């Protein structure tokens, strides 16, 4: 970015330099489709009206066009020479991250002594990262550069992410390190206690040399301690970390190979940018999602309009025929009479005039929208997709907006006649008023004020019209999740308009409290209106977005929507995707409410409301799906959030945050609207660092979502229409929001189950391995003598027991894929790191200690009472160690076989193949005199052991006894305290869990031998 070429103006000429050389005060020229290199005050453009259009998809996620306005006194400067002759000073606020707010003023000096002072607002500011559209070129002066730009202030630095499983592994490793040190200390102390008797320290067959007798006692003790550390160091599962990394890397391919997560429309499949967080997908408790382009397709469609009780639907079907779009179709009663015809046309004119749309006649500009009659391509450009949908919809009903030219708006009526209206004033939309208005003058001299806005904003200002009929239709459409707007108007006398002009001008030039004075002026102007009708627009949700959110809520995951969009727009989407339900009571923490009450009062009032019902909300682990109990949905905007996060004046900075968090915990869903990118990250961080420390996931599709994607434990980018910055900065990327369901409920579930078993199993088998070595020291005078041969010590973790657990951790499916999708609640069984809690860890460790005691003392008592060989020979210490090792290898391998639910030919091959490999290796290792070895202590040992009948009996008996406690525990727990997963497994075993005959992903019963390696879309069983 710093190396990009930028055109400066120096001495009346264009000079090309690198953007890193930009300085505040430099005048920059930007051409169409170029990105602004810094924050600029808009001076002039190639358009005669001094406007330009920009897209801010990389900033706030909105791909629609926004109109910005040049400074009134500089918009006529179109050449480099004109700009170079400009003398002005700019005063503005300090850099701040709020994308939607800017306050400043420009003093333009001319030949006169007093400068002309003009206010500067966000409409005059061109932000770094935004792109110029449909404007040939603009000139602007650099106001914020480098790290002071609003985009840079919203940037969230990338931090190292570690999964909860990895953290648990490290804690367990510290525990085992303490056990290792304890073992070494105990053995060192006991060794010197044992050697306190002279005959034990120096037996006749092992006398010490004089130098050994004179060695320092402390040095000898340290040497012995280190020797015991080396002897017992195998209890630290170093190979576990290697296996875990292999499992994560290889397992990540199951996501990229999943054909169900491939989107044919875009030709995109899922991406895995890091494999370190696979298991974290199975631990998510909070999901923070963007709205535009993530939940929705950002594609608005005009559905209907209601005029005085009559409903008009474009291309409605009547008597089996599709009627032309130019005809209004009454879907309720008879068509309006002649008297109502005037109101009908006035309504359509209002929709054609009350907007901020720009028109460009071009066949291929940023996704053209062609007129329904197949004629000329008509591209409407607006900051609001709703406005475009309304103008396109009314076009199909007979009225077409043509252009704004020389201050006149032109429309084409049903008779193909062009009507011209002079645009006098625009009363812009804002989230507090929730409406916008235009004042226009017809050719006949009549002055109209047309107003459109939310029903709650329009109805109180109406004095005439069929309010009840229109209100009923609006409420019906709102329940269906449609975005509704009401339209009203009033005629203005010339003297009324003059008063309005004076009022507006005084408010516009005010430098102090400008927004407040404008709001007061708008309040006085927009009253005593006549209601015309209402419109309904559908913001199409992405396919299966509502089903996905419902499944995630059933899984116990809380879903928050964080968006830069308006509150009404976002709330309508939340209803459509079933985040808010018909019975959900909405709680507002918004700027509008905070103007009426203090933040303290609002928070305590909301807290009192939700805590009254807190018992009912916690009954379902956050799902909030019970129809008979009250659910709450919270709506908060960016300005209110800033006040919540701001330290209190009395210095108790954390109190409001805790109160806010308490309210959020008791709400089934939260909607955060008008959020700047950094505020999205602040919300995620606030939840992430709360006292429960929940696992968070953020998903979005635009560069404005990068901050929260980087902040969350898991970041997922949607490969959408707004570039690939989100996908590039995410941990995982998916083509559509619906794919999140399978990624979490199936892939995440399996990843966590597999790796948690892998971690516990490694600690277990290393306890089984080393604890007999520890016990052996009590029988060999603490002489650091090894129980096992060095080949066994080396190959235990590398060859004999490594492949079965690796294959288990890649392929295990404790329940079928279909079951996990059908029963989202199974996700709760593994929540809160359930399989790596201390209770489970201690159980596995104690099981390993028990098995080690059985191995050692079972073999010891057998050796103590019998000669065991056919020729009367007594077994030696290497035979004893080999017997213990053989029982151990068979036990830990069969323990894994007992835990396996998903059997394929590869599982059979690896598990039984590992045991066979151990036997063959031992036969070869002890059956041949190896010339490269300096010792032959294992020669014939294994063969001699197998030639003994009691040895065979002991191996079978000890393996059975070792496995018995775990089998009993499993049986008792399943019978007395079964989990939801275990109940599903039991019904499957009884044959009640039937899958459809034609399924792409079969149950883990008897898969096709080759299905394992063909990825997740093979005909029969497969790992996921």
């Amino acid at each position: 970015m710093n190396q990009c070429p930028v055109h400066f103006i120096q001495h009346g000429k264009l000079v090309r330099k690198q953007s890193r050389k930009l300085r505040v005060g430099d005048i920059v020229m930007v051409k169409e489709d170029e990105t602004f290199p810094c924050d600029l005050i808009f001076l002039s453009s190639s358009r005669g009206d001094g406007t330009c259009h920009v897209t801010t998809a990389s900033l706030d996620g909105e791909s629609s066009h926004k109109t910005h306005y040049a400074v009134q006194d500089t918009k006529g400067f179109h050449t480099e020479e004109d700009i170079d002759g400009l003398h002005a000073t700019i005063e503005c606020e300090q850099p701040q991250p709020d994308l939607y707010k800017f306050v400043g003023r420009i003093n333009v000096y001319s030949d006169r002594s007093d400068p002309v002072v003009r206010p500067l607002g966000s409409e005059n500011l061109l932000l770094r990262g935004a792109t110029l559209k449909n404007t040939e070129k603009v000139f602007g002066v650099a106001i914020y550069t480098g790290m002071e730009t609003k985009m840079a202030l919203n940037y969230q630095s990338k931090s190292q992410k570690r999964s909860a499983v990895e953290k648990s592994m490290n804690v367990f490793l510290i525990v085992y390190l303490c056990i290792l040190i304890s073992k070494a200390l105990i053995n060192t102390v006991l060794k010197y206690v044992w050697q306190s008797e002279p005959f034990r320290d120096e037996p006749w067959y092992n006398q010490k040399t004089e130098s050994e007798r004179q060695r320092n006692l402390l040095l000898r003790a340290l040497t012995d301690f280190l020797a015991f550390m080396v002897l017992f160091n195998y209890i630290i599962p170093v190979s576990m970390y290697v296996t875990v990394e292999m499992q994560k890397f290889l397992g990540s391919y199951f996501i990229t190979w999943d054909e169900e997560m491939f989107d044919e429309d875009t030709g995109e499949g899922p991406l895995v940018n890091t494999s370190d967080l696979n298991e974290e997908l199975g631990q998510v408790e909070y999901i923070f999602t963007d709205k535009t382009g993530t939940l929705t397709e950002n594609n608005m469609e005009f559905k209907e309009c209601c005029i005085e009780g009559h409903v008009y639907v474009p291309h409605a079907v009547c008597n089996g025929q599709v009627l032309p779009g130019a005809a209004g179709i009454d879907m309720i009663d008879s068509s309006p009479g002649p008297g109502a015809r005037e109101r009908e046309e006035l309504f359509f004119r209002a929709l054609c005039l009350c907007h901020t749309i720009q028109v460009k006649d071009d066949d291929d500009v940023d996704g053209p929208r062609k007129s329904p009659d197949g004629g000329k391509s008509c591209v409407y450009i607006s900051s609001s997709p709703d406005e475009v949908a309304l103008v396109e919809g009314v076009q199909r009903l007979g009225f077409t907006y043509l252009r704004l030219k020389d201050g006149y708006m032109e429309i084409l009526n049903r008779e193909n006649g062009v009507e011209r209206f002079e645009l006098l004033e625009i009363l812009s939309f804002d989230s507090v008023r929730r409406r916008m208005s235009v004042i226009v003058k017809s050719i006949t001299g009549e002055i109209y004020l047309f107003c459109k806005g939310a029903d709650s904003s329009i109805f109180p200002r109406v004095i005439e019209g069929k309010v009840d009929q229109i209100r009923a239709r609006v409420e019906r459409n709102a329940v269906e999740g449609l975005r509704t707007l009401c339209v009203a108007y009033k005629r203005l006398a010339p003297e009324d308009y003059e008063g309005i002009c004076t009022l507006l001008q005084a408010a516009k030039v005010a430098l102090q409290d400008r927004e407040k004075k404008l709001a007061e002026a708008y309040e006085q102007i927009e009253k005593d209106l006549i209601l015309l009708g209402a419109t309904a627009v559908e913001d199409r949700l992405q396919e299966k977005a509502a089903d996905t959110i419902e499944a995630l809520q059933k899984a116990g995951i809380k879903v928050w929507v964080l968006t830069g969009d308006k509150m009404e727009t976002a709330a309508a989407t939340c209803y459509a995707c079933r985040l808010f339900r018909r019975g959900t009571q909405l709680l507002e923490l918004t700027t509008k409410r905070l103007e009426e009450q203090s933040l303290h009062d609002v928070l305590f009032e909301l807290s009192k409301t939700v805590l009254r019902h807190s018992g009912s909300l916690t009954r379902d682990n956050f799902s909030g799906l019970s129809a008979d109990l009250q659910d709450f949905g919270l709506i908060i905007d960016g300005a209110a959030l800033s006040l919540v996060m701001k330290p209190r004046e009395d210095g108790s900075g954390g109190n409001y945050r805790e109160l806010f968090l308490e309210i959020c915990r008791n709400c089934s869903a939260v909607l955060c609207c008008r959020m700047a990118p950094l505020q999205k990250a602040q919300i995620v961080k606030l939840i992430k660092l709360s006292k429960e420390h929940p696992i968070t996931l953020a998903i979005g599709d635009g560069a404005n979502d990068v901050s929260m994607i980087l902040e969350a434990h898991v970041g997922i980018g949607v490969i959408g229409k707004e570039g690939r910055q989100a996908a590039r900065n995410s941990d995982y990327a998916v083509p559509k929001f619906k794919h999140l369901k399978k990624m979490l409920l199936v892939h995440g579930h399996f990843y966590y189950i597999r790796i948690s078993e892998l971690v516990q199993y490694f600690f277990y088998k290393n306890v089984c391995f080393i604890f007999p070595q520890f016990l052996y020291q009590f029988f060999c005078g603490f002489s650091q003598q090894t129980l096992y041969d060095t080949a066994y010590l080396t190959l235990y973790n590398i060859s004999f027991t490594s492949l079965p657990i690796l294959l288990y951790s890649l392929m295990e499916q404790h329940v079928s894929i279909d079951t996990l999708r059908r029963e989202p609640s199974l996700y709760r069984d593994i929540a809160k790191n359930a399989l790596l809690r201390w209770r489970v860890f201690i159980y596995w460790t104690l099981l390993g200690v028990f098995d080690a005691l059985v191995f050692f003392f079972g073999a010891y008592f057998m050796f103590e009472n019998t000669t065991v060989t056919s020729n009367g020979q007594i077994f030696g210490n290497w035979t004893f160690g080999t017997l213990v090792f053989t029982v151990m290898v068979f036990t830990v391998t069969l323990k894994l076989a007992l835990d396996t639910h998903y059997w394929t030919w590869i599982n059979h091959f690896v598990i039984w193949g590992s045991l066979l490999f151990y036997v063959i290796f031992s036969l070869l290792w002890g059956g041949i005199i190896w010339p490269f070895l300096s010792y032959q202590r294992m020669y014939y040992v294994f063969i001699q052991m197998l030639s003994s009948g009691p040895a065979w009996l002991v191996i079978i008996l000890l393996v059975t006894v070792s496995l018995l406690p775990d089998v009993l525990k499993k049986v008792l727990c399943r019978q007395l305290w079964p989990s939801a997963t275990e109940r599903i497994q039991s019904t499957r075993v009884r044959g009640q869990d039937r899958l459809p005959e034609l399924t792409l992903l079969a149950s883990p019963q008897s898969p096709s031998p080759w299905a394992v390696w063909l990825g997740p879309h093979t005909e029969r069983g497969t790992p996921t």
Side-chain angles (χ1 to χ4, degrees), residues 225-383:
F225 173 76
L226 294 177
F228 281 119
M229 288 286 286
V230 172
L231 185 65
F232 299 140
N233 81 88
Y234 292 96
I235 197 173
I236 303 297
V238 177
S239 59
M240 176 184 70
Y241 283 87
V242 178
T243 307
V244 163
E245 289 304 315
M246 290 177 64
Q247 188 268 350
K248 288 183 175 183
F249 174 71
L250 296 174
S252 64
Y253 281 101
F254 292 133
I255 290 179
T256 58
W257 289 341
D258 193 338
E259 293 183 12
E260 288 186 1
M261 297 175 69
F262 182 84
D263 185 58
E264 293 183 357
D265 295 336
T266 61
E268 299 281 358
L271 300 174
V272 179
N273 296 327
T274 176
S275 59
D276 289 339
L277 302 172
N278 291 346
E279 63 276 9
E280 205 81 328
L281 295 170
Q283 294 294 294
V284 174
E285 297 169 65
Y286 281 81
I287 291 177
F288 301 92
T289 174
D290 180 39
K291 181 190 77 70
T292 309
T294 303
L295 290 177
T296 70
E297 294 180 351
N298 200 20
N299 185 16
M300 309 293 178
E301 182 183 358
F302 181 83
K303 301 299 288 186
E304 66 172 53
C305 58
C306 174
I307 305 172
E308 295 194 335
H310 303 285
V311 178
Y312 296 76
V313 182
H315 295 292
V317 176
C318 184
N319 297 326
Q321 294 183 343
V322 178
L323 300 179
I329 306 303
D330 179 8
M331 303 295 287
I332 296 178
D333 47 35
S334 60
S335 298
R341 185 77 173 180
E342 182 184 350
R343 291 280 181 92
E344 174 191 304
E345 293 191 351
L346 197 59
F347 176 86
F348 292 147
R349 289 188 180 96
L351 290 183
C352 283
L353 298 170
C354 188
H355 54 71
T356 56
I357 284 176
Q358 301 290 330
V359 180
K360 183 166 184 180
D361 296 330
D362 196 322
D363 286 337
D364 191 17
V365 178
D366 299 328
R369 298 178 175 89
K370 293 185 181 292
S371 57
D373 58 3
K376 186 178 181 181
S377 175
C378 195
V379 182
Y380 293 127
I381 304 164
S382 173
S383 60

Side-chain angles (χ1 to χ4, degrees), residues 175-193:
V175 172
Y176 270 63
L177 185 60
C178 293
I179 293 174
L180 170 62
I181 294 171
S182 302
K183 282 183 176 182
L185 279 173
I186 291 170
N187 276 265
T188 303
V189 171
L190 291 178
K191 177 175 182 176
Y192 284 91
V193 171

Side-chain angles (χ1 to χ4, degrees), residues 645-676:
M645 303 294 286
K646 191 176 179 181
R648 293 171 63 175
E649 294 178 0
D650 57 6
S652 53
N655 287 357
Y656 281 158
R657 295 188 188 189
E658 285 303 316
L659 195 56
F660 172 67
L661 281 173
E662 191 63 35
I663 295 168
C664 291
R665 287 189 197 102
N666 289 283
C667 291
S668 58
V670 178
L671 166 62
C672 305
C673 50
R674 282 298 179 197
M675 289 280 144

Side-chain angles (χ1 to χ4, degrees), residues 650-707:
D650 57 6
S652 53
N655 287 357
Y656 281 158
R657 295 188 188 189
E658 285 303 316
L659 195 56
F660 172 67
L661 281 173
E662 191 63 35
I663 295 168
C664 291
R665 287 189 197 102
N666 289 283
C667 291
S668 58
V670 178
L671 166 62
C672 305
C673 50
R674 282 298 179 197
M675 289 280 144
L678 197 59
Q679 287 182 310
K680 292 184 178 184
Q682 287 175 340
I683 282 279
V684 175
K685 188 174 184 179
L686 184 67
I687 297 298
K688 190 170 79 168
L689 299 181
S690 62
K691 61 185 178 182
E692 296 91 355
H693 296 290
I695 303 300
T696 58
L697 180 148
I699 178 170
D701 68 320
N704 62 308
D705 303 313
V706 169
S707 292

